Amino acid sequence: MPSVAVKLYSVFFKFMLKHRLQNRIQIDDTNGPNNGTSFGITSRPNEESIAASNPLFTDGVATKDLHVDPATSVSIRIFLPETCLGSPDLDSKSRVRVSTRPGSGSDPNQALILRRNSYGYCTTDSVIENQTNYNKNGFNHRRNSYGCNVVDDLGLKSENGVYRGYNPAGKKNCRKLPVMLQFHGGGFVSGSNDSAANDLFCRRIAKLCDVIVLAVGYRLAPENRYPAAFEDGLKVLHWLAKQANLAECSKSSVGSRRGGEGGGGGGGADLRKSDAYGHIADAFGASLVEPWLAAHGDPSRLDLAPYFYLCVLLGVSCGGNIADYVARKAVEEGKLLDPVKVVAQVLMYPFFIGSVPTHSEIKLANSYFYDKALCTLAWKLFLPEGEFDLDHPAANPLIPGRGPPLKWMPPTLIVVAEHDWMRDRAIAYSEELRKVNVDAPVLEYKDAVHEFATLDMLLKTPQAQACAEDIAIWVKKYISLRGHEFSY
């Protein structure tokens, strides 16, 4: 059973959540059914602590915020692990990673677990020291993608240690990482991508999975109801595909310029007139290449084409519903998303519901933190007025005719908690996926509650750490360099 502290905090949490939801219903009724705007809001700072972005590699991860759509408030926070600074030569060698999983009442320093990651990057002090010395000695200045001069040949850090990114053209001494889109929880009505809890969770996932995490700040209800949050998730995936194409165009332009200069033709002179490092002109005007993604987004982990960006989707609670929607749309759009390929998704205690109750929905209807009554209230705030239905395609993954066919869905890992009333429907979804030969395992955690691995109070528990490590092991099956996968 959950601890006494968890039970007491759950009572307080549900009381506050119910109060907030009822207030939003009153405000929504006062403003009328058309109170939302296309811009909307993505966070409620007065309800939770916010973690500022930090371009320094604090705790091994650098972060920065981007506003990716001028028409809405959708934004992302990029989590870049420090392992991206390593030389690609280290990728092809088997290394040892040192990680800790502190037990209850034990000294974390005595609980070291040697684990090899799928990229073979060693995070021991000796390798980090060697890499630091390598970056400090005898390199010249190089212009980054925004025209700033930074210290060292890699163009990675300024003198004060802030990571600025650099132009991808001609780069050879950096690691390429897959990208993960992360969607936070909060019942569609609360939470944010820059909250302190979500920031800590994404830092942990970025380090353990060795990926670039893009935490999506989607629009919240009731200011923006369905399908706003779902469309925002898909919009970020399209933005990522555009960034991948712009990065490739940038490299092609610079390569053509160098070829023209070497051959003495007029093409090189024409290319010199444009700034291929700073932006690429496309059908919609000038678009900036995001330097962190251009420098470290992985364009070559599949042998199917010259370049593909591997993308994993990770959704927490209601974010799991968004991730599943984005995965379905990615399947439907197919090659239209090239060069981005969604290769897997992780649904952590997804916010699924239905009109016909499951066993867990009956037995655990008054469970911890998010009980069934509060979640139903959240769905009423999220779904458009007049369309409230617990069998809505956004709510119930098992209704007939919900396309595309499940056999086309990407591999799906589902995390559930023993004391979560939504667990049975999530398990049923995984069973339907396995029936059509989709890799869809379920990780069930005993004595766990909804959001046990992402809630602010529970983030630092051994169970939350173990869950993140288990997710990393499974995810690396689909983002590993060939020949360096884990053994199972």
Side-chain angles (χ1 to χ4, degrees), residues 394-448:
N396 189 350
L398 302 177
I399 60 171
R402 185 176 183 263
L406 291 181
K407 64 181 180 180
W408 295 348
M409 290 294 286
T412 302
L413 173 67
I414 296 181
V415 176
V416 297
E418 181 183 10
H419 299 288
D420 183 5
W421 67 269
M422 292 176 266
R423 61 182 292 276
D424 282 0
R425 201 170 300 273
I427 293 173
Y429 184 43
S430 74
E431 291 173 350
E432 293 299 314
L433 290 171
R434 291 198 297 272
K435 286 179 182 178
V436 292
N437 298 320
V438 175
D439 182 19
V442 174
L443 294 180
E444 181 175 7
Y445 292 83
K446 299 299 181 182
D447 294 329

Side-chain angles (χ1 to χ4, degrees), residues 18-318:
K18 182 178 181 180
H19 178 70
R20 291 167 181 168
L21 292 179
Q22 289 175 341
N23 284 343
R24 283 174 202 148
I25 289 178
Q26 294 174 359
I27 295 173
D28 192 52
D29 291 340
T30 302
N31 293 337
N34 298 319
N35 62 311
T37 65
S38 61
F39 195 76
I41 63 169
T42 58
S43 65
R44 307 184 194 275
N46 59 322
E47 295 181 359
E48 57 188 347
S49 58
I50 301 299
S53 60
N54 186 356
L56 297 172
F57 282 105
T58 304
D59 193 29
V61 179
T63 61
K64 72 173 173 180
D65 297 328
L66 291 177
H67 188 195
V68 300
D69 182 21
T72 67
S73 56
V74 62
S75 62
I76 61 171
R77 171 163 291 187
I78 303 178
F79 294 81
L80 185 67
E82 193 170 16
T83 54
C84 70
L85 304 185
S87 168
D89 294 338
L90 296 176
D91 288 351
S92 60
K93 300 178 182 179
S94 178
R95 303 282 185 178
V96 177
R97 165 170 284 191
V98 179
S99 64
T100 63
R101 181 187 288 184
S104 177
S106 63
D107 183 2
N109 294 328
Q110 297 177 356
L112 295 178
I113 302 174
L114 296 180
R115 174 174 288 175
R116 168 180 170 262
N117 73 357
S118 61
Y119 300 112
Y121 185 80
C122 181
T123 58
T124 57
D125 293 340
S126 60
V127 173
I128 293 176
E129 181 180 359
N130 290 339
Q131 185 62 38
T132 301
N133 293 335
Y134 172 80
N135 289 340
K136 286 182 178 179
N137 295 324
F139 296 113
N140 299 321
H141 293 264
R142 174 171 289 177
R143 180 187 180 197
N144 72 1
S145 62
Y146 291 114
C148 301
N149 288 329
V150 290
V151 174
D152 74 54
D153 184 59
L154 300 182
L156 298 177
K157 295 182 180 180
S158 62
E159 293 180 355
N160 60 2
V162 175
Y163 186 82
R164 294 181 177 176
Y166 64 106
N167 176 54
K171 63 185 183 301
K172 296 181 180 180
N173 297 310
C174 68
R175 295 185 68 240
K176 310 293 290 182
L177 303 177
V179 175
M180 175 183 286
L181 296 190
Q182 187 265 354
F183 305 95
H184 65 80
F188 300 109
V189 297
S190 60
S192 67
N193 64 335
D194 58 358
S195 68
N198 198 67
D199 185 85
L200 178 57
F201 173 72
C202 289
R203 286 175 177 274
R204 176 179 291 169
I205 290 295
K207 288 188 291 185
L208 289 175
C209 294
D210 206 16
V211 296
I212 302 172
V213 175
L214 306 184
V216 180
Y218 53 85
R219 288 170 290 173
L220 302 177
E223 291 84 354
N224 291 90
R225 294 174 179 262
Y226 174 86
F230 287 67
E231 291 176 343
D232 289 348
L234 185 60
K235 189 172 297 181
V236 172
L237 187 64
H238 285 156
W239 176 86
L240 178 62
K242 184 175 181 179
Q243 284 294 316
N245 280 307
L246 290 176
E248 290 300 315
C249 289
S250 177
K251 290 191 289 185
S252 299
S253 298
V254 174
S256 300
R257 183 182 67 175
R258 289 177 176 173
E261 289 173 348
D270 293 336
L271 284 170
R272 281 195 296 271
K273 296 178 182 179
S274 64
D275 183 6
Y277 293 94
H279 65 270
I280 299 295
D282 60 15
F284 301 98
S287 297
L288 286 176
V289 178
E290 167 34 49
W292 288 15
L293 290 178
H296 301 293
D298 189 349
S300 58
R301 290 196 183 276
L302 289 181
D303 297 333
L304 304 179
Y307 64 95
F308 276 98
Y309 272 43
L310 296 198
C311 179
V312 178
L313 307 176
L314 186 151
V316 176
S317 189
C318 68

Side-chain angles (χ1 to χ4, degrees), residues 286-357:
S287 297
L288 286 176
V289 178
E290 167 34 49
W292 288 15
L293 290 178
H296 301 293
D298 189 349
S300 58
R301 290 196 183 276
L302 289 181
D303 297 333
L304 304 179
Y307 64 95
F308 276 98
Y309 272 43
L310 296 198
C311 179
V312 178
L313 307 176
L314 186 151
V316 176
S317 189
C318 68
N321 298 51
I322 299 175
D324 190 61
Y325 171 87
V326 173
R328 289 189 287 117
K329 289 300 181 180
V331 168
E332 292 176 351
E333 295 188 11
K335 293 183 179 181
L336 294 177
L337 280 174
D338 286 351
V340 169
K341 294 294 182 184
V342 175
V343 295
Q345 66 171 339
V346 180
L347 309 181
M348 300 181 67
Y349 21 84
F351 207 59
F352 294 152
I353 196 171
S355 59
V356 179

